[in-house]
């Protein structure tokens, strides 16, 4: 569609909402068709807002979003027009649906390596122990790798800490419950999940590998609505409703495990487990208020905790270990005019790990964590139908607390001042232009300028050359070390025809905070540390090229992407490291990493049978001068092959079936390869780092959902029957060596044994909605 000088032009803008609950729809596609047949495509932004500048005239609008009936309307544009569009969910209508092309999403957009998951699709997949898990669903996508019993995601060769995971704009630093077996995200409280694993646009920053942007429900502003479920290990309940219809609403959601309460009556007082237990819980809350057509205010919060407590049967030793996240976000949406939209967020974030133990009269405590205050503003300016500008800033004040110890013995106590506590400013400004250049070309051009500054109070200890240490004292907010990075981002799209396009991206990213782990999994004891005078920020260049197409009247969509990522200033612990209360950065070594591979994604979107196939072929390497004799070695999460098949089948209104199959090359691990005796002591030598490959991983899960015909139109319920690991394959989690017999007896035997986590696990969950 071409805008001619001299023709009157007007702006069509507004919000796209769910007609039943008033939820704003993120990323809904809007097709604008003129009387001459020309078509223009736009999408709603992260807050459900759209804007488009058009010449005066008559237009037909088609609005499309997965899970909703396609809406259409005819408009006469003779002045600036504000139009809110209400979408009906598919389950609400029984009429025949006319399918209109959704090619804007994958074919015409300038987005690459971006996948948006409707939460209903997440809820339909087989689950372990009845717990729907957003992150476990993301594991089924190409380029995303994980280990069983670990919520950490390794995306295109990056570490788990290199993913920017956002919950209503708030970064989440630890995503795992039960030491990583389940994620903290309660699906009943979530509206939208978006994964960006390449071609990260300039409005995101602070991590190298990917963005996982999760939005909580706003709350039903039409009527009270509740849902929940009772499973094998946990129950959950959510309620939402209007405070003032069409103007304000609330949402509250809670989840808690109860294995500790169920087991407690059956544990005798003489048992060594009496008085011990473990549980976790999540609380989500959100309020929103529309003050006018231009102003909306949102307040959301999350609180999650894991709590482990142990008490010996003689009551001589007790331990209490809680850890978890607290986030709070206040967002203000303001429409300056029909073409300019802004969101300002004030964010509080706190992640803490605590350990407390008491033995007789001695008590010891250990605390670590990270604490943030964050202010950011993002502005959307719709210059014309061919240019969508975005610009903004992001500021964070970090407080890092690594392993602060305290203790008490009788009446004496110690609370040492910890010089390792660190403070830092992190800031960035960005601008990007999502532009169309003719019929075939589209570009997303962006630049991000970021800054990180460690500040006092801080004591810097350094050798003075005479065998003694010299201390440098920094006052409050006095700069210790400053880093600045320029991060260009470029995405280009070329449309081959109306059903296929080629896309390419080049991005540079920087990361100033780091999670350093001494294990192969992400545990709550792992430490977040900042960039300092010794620890440089991580940086990466990534290159992606992809082919995207839709087939058979948009029933199928497919993509093939090839990528390469180069990562610098990677961090590991030195060989032989043992945890202590010393500053952990004194034990760091630094190197580089790189990864490359290809990803195939085939998605069937329509019909009774839906699902997807994803396949990843990849290589991931690390090279550190101080590790492995300076030779390159495969990263622990390096996998040559990663195959996922997800299938869903809707038999009728009562029965839905689903299944998933996973096959992956085994993890690379470091194990002993020789055993020998030195002065009667059994000693072992190891392979090269990650020089041994465990057996391949594979698993089949199935599920069936039965929905009885409701006896009351306001109350619906269903039963979900699922089987995790149907054929009970004992996939290796780790390997250890068992010693039997003795050297002097001449019958010494050393045998490698594997440990598997999960055999076949059937589960039943009762879900209800009212």
């Amino acid at each position: 569609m071409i805008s001619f000088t001299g023709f009157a032009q007007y702006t069509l803008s507004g919000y796209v909402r769910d007609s039943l609950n008033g939820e704003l729809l993120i990323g809904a596609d809007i097709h604008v068709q003129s009387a001459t047949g020309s078509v223009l495509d736009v999408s709603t932004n992260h807050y459900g807002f759209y804007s488009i500048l058009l010449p005066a005239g008559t237009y037909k609008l088609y609005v499309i979003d997965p899970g909703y009936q396609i809406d259409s309307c005819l408009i006469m544009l003779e002045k600036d027009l504000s139009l809110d569009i209400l979408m009906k969910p598919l389950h609400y209508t029984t009429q025949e649906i006319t399918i209109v092309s959704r090619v804007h999403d994958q074919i015409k957009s300038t987005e690459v390596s971006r996948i948006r998951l409707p939460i209903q699709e997440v809820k339909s997949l087989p689950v372990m122990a009845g717990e729907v898990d957003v992150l476990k669903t993301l594991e089924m996508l190409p380029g995303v790798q994980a280990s069983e019993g670990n919520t950490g995601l390794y995306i295109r060769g990056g570490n788990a800490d290199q993913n920017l995971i956002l919950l209503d704009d708030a970064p989440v630093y630890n995503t795992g419950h039960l030491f990583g077996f389940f994620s903290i995200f309660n699906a009943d409280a979530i509206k939208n999940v978006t994964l960006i694993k390449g071609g990260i646009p300039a409005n995101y920053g602070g991590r190298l590998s990917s963005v996982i942007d999760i939005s909580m429900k706003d709350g039903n502003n039409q009527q009270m609505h509740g849902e929940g479920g009772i499973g094998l290990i946990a129950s959950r309940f959510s309620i939402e409703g209007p405070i003032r219809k069409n103007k304000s609403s609330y949402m509250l959601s809670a989840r808690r495990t109860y294995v500790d309460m169920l087991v407690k009556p059956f544990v005798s007082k003489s048992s060594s487990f009496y008085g011990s237990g473990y549980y976790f819980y999540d609380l989500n809350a959100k309020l929103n208020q529309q003050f006018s057509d231009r102003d909306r205010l949102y307040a959301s919060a999350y609180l999650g905790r894991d709590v482990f407590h142990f008490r010996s049967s003689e009551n001589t030793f007790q331990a209490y270990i809680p850890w978890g996240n607290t986030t709070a976000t206040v967002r203000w949406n303001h429409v300056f005019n029909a073409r300019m939209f802004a969101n300002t967020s004030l964010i509080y974030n706190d992640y803490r790990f605590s350990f407390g133990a008491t033995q007789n009269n001695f008590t010891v405590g250990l605390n670590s964590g990270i604490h943030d205050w964050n202010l950011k503003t993002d502005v959307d300016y719709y210059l014309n139908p061919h240019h969508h500008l975005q610009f903004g800033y992001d500021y964070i004040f970090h407080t890092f607390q690594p392993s602060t110890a305290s203790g008490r013995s009788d009446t004496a106590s110690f609370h040492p001042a910890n010089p390792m506590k660190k403070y830092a400013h992190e800031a960035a400004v960005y601008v990007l232009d999502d532009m169309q250049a003719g019929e075939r070309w589209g570009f997303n051009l962006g630049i991000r300028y970021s800054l990180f500054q460690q500040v006092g109070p801080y004591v810097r200890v350094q050798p003075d050359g005479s065998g003694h240490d010299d201390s440098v004292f920094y006052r409050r907010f006095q700069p210790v070390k400053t880093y600045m990075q320029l991060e260009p981002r470029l995405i280009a799209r070329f449309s081959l025809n109306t059903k296929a396009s080629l896309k390419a991206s080049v991005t540079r990213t920087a990361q100033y905070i780091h999670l350093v782990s001494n294990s192969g999994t992400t545990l709550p004891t792992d430490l977040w540390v900042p960039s300092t005078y010794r620890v440089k920020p991580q940086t990466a260049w990534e290159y992606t090229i992809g082919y995207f197409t839709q087939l058979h009247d948009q029933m199928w969509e497919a993509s093939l992407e090839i990528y390469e990522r180069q990562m610098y200033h990677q961090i590991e612990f030195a060989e032989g490291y043992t945890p202590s209360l010393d500053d952990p950065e004194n034990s760091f070594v630094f190197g580089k990493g790189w990864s490359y591979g290809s990803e195939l994604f085939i998605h069937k979107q329509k019909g009774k049978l839906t699902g997807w196939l994803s396949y990843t072929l990849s290589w991931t390497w690390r090279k550190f001068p101080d590790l492995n004799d300076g030779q390159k070695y495969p990263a622990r999460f390096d996998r040559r092959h990663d195959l996922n098949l997800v299938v869903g089948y809707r038999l009728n209104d009562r029965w839905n079936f689903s299944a998933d199959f996973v096959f992956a090359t085994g993890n690379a691990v470091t194990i002993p390869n020789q055993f020998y005796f030195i002065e009667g002591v059994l000693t072992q030598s190891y392979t090269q780092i990650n020089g041994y490959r465990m057996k391949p991983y594979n698993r089949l899960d199935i599920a069936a959902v039965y929905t009885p015909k409701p006896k009351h139109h306001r109350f619906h319920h269903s039963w979900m029957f699922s089987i995790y690991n149907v054929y009970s394959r004992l996939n290796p989690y780790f390997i250890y060596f068992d010693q039997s017999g003795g050297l002097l007896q001449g019958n010494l035997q050393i045998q490698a044994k594997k440990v598997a986590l999960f055999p076949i696990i059937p589960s039943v969950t009762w879900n209800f909605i009212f």
Side-chain angles (χ1 to χ4, degrees):
M1 187 173 294
I2 304 174
S3 301
F4 295 96
T5 303
F7 282 73
Q9 295 188 352
Y10 302 105
T11 302
L12 174 67
S13 63
Y15 293 87
V16 178
R17 299 177 175 274
D18 185 305
S19 63
L20 298 186
N21 56 32
E23 289 279 354
L24 296 170
L25 301 184
I26 300 169
D29 294 333
I30 303 171
H31 298 253
V32 184
Q33 184 172 334
S34 70
T36 61
S38 300
V39 175
L40 192 65
D41 301 300
V42 296
S43 295
T44 58
N45 68 4
H46 197 67
Y47 310 98
F49 180 81
Y50 73 94
S51 176
I52 184 170
L53 183 68
L54 297 167
T58 301
Y59 298 93
K60 185 73 174 288
L61 264 64
Y62 296 94
V63 187
I64 308 167
D65 194 68
Y68 289 86
Q69 177 186 354
I70 294 171
D71 191 26
S72 63
C73 61
L74 189 68
I75 63 167
M76 180 76 72
L77 194 62
E78 297 177 336
K79 60 179 181 179
D80 287 348
L81 178 62
S82 177
L83 178 65
D84 285 0
I85 301 170
L86 301 179
M87 301 285 286
K88 292 182 180 179
L90 287 178
H91 62 77
Y92 182 70
T93 177
T94 58
Q95 69 183 41
E96 187 69 23
I97 297 171
T98 302
I99 300 298
V100 180
S101 170
R102 282 195 76 243
V103 297
H104 173 72
D105 190 29
Q106 284 290 349
I107 308 304
K108 291 189 175 181
S109 77
T110 55
E111 299 167 348
V112 64
S113 305
R114 179 191 293 249
I115 300 176
R116 185 161 63 96
L117 283 177
I119 197 63
Q120 292 304 321
E121 192 167 16
V122 174
K123 288 184 173 184
S124 67
L125 298 181
V127 295
M128 184 174 72
E131 287 302 298
V132 174
D133 198 320
V134 170
L135 297 190
K136 296 300 181 186
T137 304
L138 294 180
E139 293 176 15
M140 301 289 178
L141 299 176
V144 182
Q145 299 172 355
S147 297
E148 189 173 55
N150 179 17
T151 57
L153 299 179
Y154 306 95
I155 298 178
R156 289 188 173 179
N159 291 320
D161 68 313
Q162 294 173 353
N163 307 310
L164 178 63
I165 302 177
L166 301 172
L167 180 62
D168 268 8
D169 282 348
V172 178
Y173 289 107
N174 186 284
T175 60
H177 281 312
L178 192 59
F179 294 94
F181 293 130
F182 300 100
S183 81
I184 67 170
F185 302 110
N186 181 359
D188 288 350
I190 294 172
K191 173 172 65 175
N192 183 77
V193 182
T194 300
L195 168 66
I196 307 173
K197 52 190 172 69
I200 299 174
N203 55 313
Y204 293 105
R207 302 294 189 275
L208 295 190
S209 294
S210 73
V211 177
I212 301 172
D213 201 338
I214 300 174
S215 300
M216 285 198 286
K217 292 179 179 178
D218 297 329
N220 193 320
N221 65 10
Q222 301 297 307
Q223 60 182 349
M224 191 185 76
H225 167 81
E227 63 180 312
I230 300 175
L232 291 181
I233 67 168
S235 289
R236 63 190 194 280
F237 179 75
S238 300
I239 189 167
E240 54 185 316
I243 300 173
R244 183 182 174 192
K245 192 171 183 179
N246 293 319
K247 293 293 184 180
S248 58
S249 62
Y250 67 90
M251 186 276 295
L252 297 171
S253 184
R255 177 177 64 162
R256 190 193 190 278
T257 58
Y258 41 70
V259 175
D260 58 323
M261 293 184 289
L262 295 177
V263 172
K264 186 175 181 179
F266 302 99
V267 180
S268 66
K269 292 185 178 181
S270 61
S271 171
S272 59
F273 294 100
Y274 182 78
S276 303
Y278 167 84
Y279 64 91
F280 69 76
Y281 64 86
D282 299 297
L283 299 172
N284 296 78
K286 194 166 186 178
L287 298 171
N288 77 86
Q289 171 71 51
Q290 180 180 342
F291 293 99
S292 67
D293 291 339
R294 291 179 177 266
D295 294 285
R296 290 169 170 81
L297 189 68
Y298 300 85
S300 59
Y302 167 79
L303 172 65
R305 287 290 182 272
D306 289 67
V307 179
F308 173 75
H309 53 93
F310 173 81
R311 184 173 63 186
S312 65
S313 57
E314 297 82 11
N315 206 26
T316 57
F317 177 78
Q318 298 183 48
Y320 179 70
I321 310 176
W323 70 91
N325 302 274
T326 302
T327 70
T329 305
V330 177
R331 298 185 318 183
W332 172 41
N333 287 178
H334 179 67
V335 180
F336 287 97
N337 54 53
R339 288 192 283 163
M340 182 176 285
F341 175 96
N343 175 79
T344 298
S345 299
L346 176 63
I347 303 162
Y348 168 82
N349 194 317
D350 184 70
Y351 169 69
R352 293 185 182 276
F353 170 82
S354 299
F355 170 83
T358 299
Q359 186 168 19
N360 299 323
N361 295 322
F362 181 74
T363 300
V364 65
L366 187 67
N367 294 278
S368 64
I370 180 171
H371 176 96
D372 291 344
W373 284 99
N374 185 191
L375 179 66
K376 59 181 294 189
T377 296
D378 301 286
V379 179
D380 291 88
Y381 182 60
Y382 300 87
L383 185 64
N384 60 48
H386 307 292
H387 290 271
H388 173 198
L389 294 177
Q390 291 179 268
F391 53 90
Y393 69 88
D394 189 358
Y395 167 76
I396 308 174
F397 183 73
H398 297 288
T399 301
F400 300 86
Q401 180 177 310
S403 302
T404 302
S406 62
R408 186 181 72 251
S409 178
D410 294 327
T411 59
S413 63
F414 66 95
H415 300 276
N418 191 346
M420 292 183 295
K421 199 170 186 178
K422 299 183 177 73
Y423 305 87
H425 302 289
E426 183 174 357
V429 293
Y430 74 89
V431 61
L432 67 87
D433 184 4
D434 191 352
M435 59 183 293
Q436 305 297 317
E439 294 260 342
R440 292 181 178 270
W441 285 98
F443 298 95
N444 188 308
L445 305 174
I447 191 75
R448 185 180 183 92
Y449 181 77
S450 58
L451 174 146
F452 189 89
Q453 185 178 73
Q454 183 192 0
V455 296
Y458 179 67
V459 179
R460 176 178 167 183
V461 180
Q462 58 185 5
D464 64 1
S466 62
H468 299 87
D469 290 336
D470 187 23
S471 297
V472 181
F473 296 89
Y474 295 87
R475 300 184 307 275
R476 184 174 177 82
F477 296 126
Q478 182 180 357
V480 179
K481 181 65 178 179
T482 302
Y483 293 99
M484 292 173 284
Q485 298 285 340
L486 195 64
E487 305 174 43
R489 316 283 175 88
L490 167 64
I491 306 172
R493 181 264 302 157
F494 178 74
S495 297
L496 299 172
N497 50 51
T498 59
K499 297 181 179 180
S501 65
L502 291 172
K503 299 183 184 181
S505 70
V506 180
T507 59
R508 187 178 192 269
T509 51
Q511 179 169 332
Y512 298 99
I513 64 174
H514 325 280
L515 181 69
V516 185
S517 173
N518 196 36
S519 66
T521 60
T522 54
L523 297 174
T525 52
D526 297 339
L527 298 176
W528 283 94
V529 297
S531 296
T532 65
Y533 67 94
R534 186 173 184 272
V535 180
K536 295 181 180 180
Q538 303 177 62
T539 59
W541 282 97
E542 182 178 324
Y543 311 90
T544 304
I545 185 170
Y547 173 75
F548 300 82
T549 187
Q550 291 186 333
L551 307 168
H552 298 293
D553 194 25
Q554 288 77 54
M555 179 173 289
W556 297 80
E557 68 175 8
S559 64
L560 177 63
E561 297 182 66
I562 300 172
Y563 70 89
E564 179 186 7
R565 177 180 290 156
Q566 299 284 340
M567 296 167 284
Y568 304 96
H569 306 133
Q570 301 298 283
I571 302 174
E572 295 284 356
F573 278 115
E575 290 186 20
Y577 167 77
T578 55
S580 70
L581 295 180
D582 292 335
D583 194 331
E585 72 177 46
N586 295 328
S587 301
F588 294 164
V589 293
F590 306 95
K592 65 179 182 179
W594 64 98
S595 64
Y596 49 90
S598 59
E599 301 167 357
L600 174 67
F601 187 54
I602 302 174
H603 189 190
K604 187 176 186 295
Q605 307 176 90
K606 297 186 295 185
K608 284 193 170 185
L609 181 68
T610 57
W612 68 79
L613 169 72
S614 73
Y615 171 69
T616 305
L617 174 67
S618 63
W619 289 259
T620 302
W621 300 95
R622 294 289 186 266
K623 187 175 183 180
F624 286 69
D626 298 312
L627 297 178
N628 205 49
D629 296 325
Q631 301 298 312
K632 74 174 185 178
Y633 59 90
R636 186 178 189 275
F637 42 88
D638 169 69
R639 290 182 184 167
R640 202 65 61 244
H641 307 283
D642 203 333
L643 174 71
N644 297 274
L645 177 63
V646 177
V647 177
Y649 182 72
R650 182 179 178 84
L651 181 64
N652 50 44
D653 292 339
R654 296 191 179 187
W655 284 100
N656 282 280
F657 300 94
S658 60
D660 60 63
F661 174 74
V662 180
F663 175 87
T665 301
N667 286 340
V669 295
T670 305
I671 63 172
N673 63 342
Q674 288 184 346
F675 294 88
Y676 50 90
F677 285 88
I678 298 179
E679 297 182 353
V681 178
L682 182 64
T683 306
Q684 55 195 18
S685 63
Y686 287 84
T687 62
Q688 291 187 337
I689 294 179
N690 298 332
Y692 177 80
R693 184 76 63 173
M694 287 201 278
K695 290 183 178 180
Y697 180 97
N698 60 85
R699 188 189 79 239
L700 172 67
D701 311 322
I702 60 174
V705 177
Y706 173 67
T707 306
K709 186 176 181 180
K711 295 181 180 179
H712 192 279
H713 73 283
R714 289 296 305 274
F715 184 85
H716 302 259
H717 70 103
S718 63
W719 292 90
M720 183 173 190
F721 309 93
S722 65
I723 302 177
Y724 180 88
N725 196 1
V726 172
Y727 47 86
S728 197
R729 176 177 169 83
L730 298 179
N731 291 293
Y733 183 60
F734 66 84
I735 294 174
Y736 73 96
F737 288 84
D738 183 53
Q739 177 181 337
S740 61
L743 179 64
L744 298 178
Q745 292 78 17
N747 59 353
L748 176 66
Q749 291 186 345
I750 300 174
Q751 184 178 9
K753 294 185 178 181
K754 71 175 182 180
V755 174
L757 288 180
F758 303 118
I760 182 172
I761 302 177
S763 63
V764 178
T765 305
W766 180 60
N767 297 307
F768 58 87
I769 300 174
F770 63 88

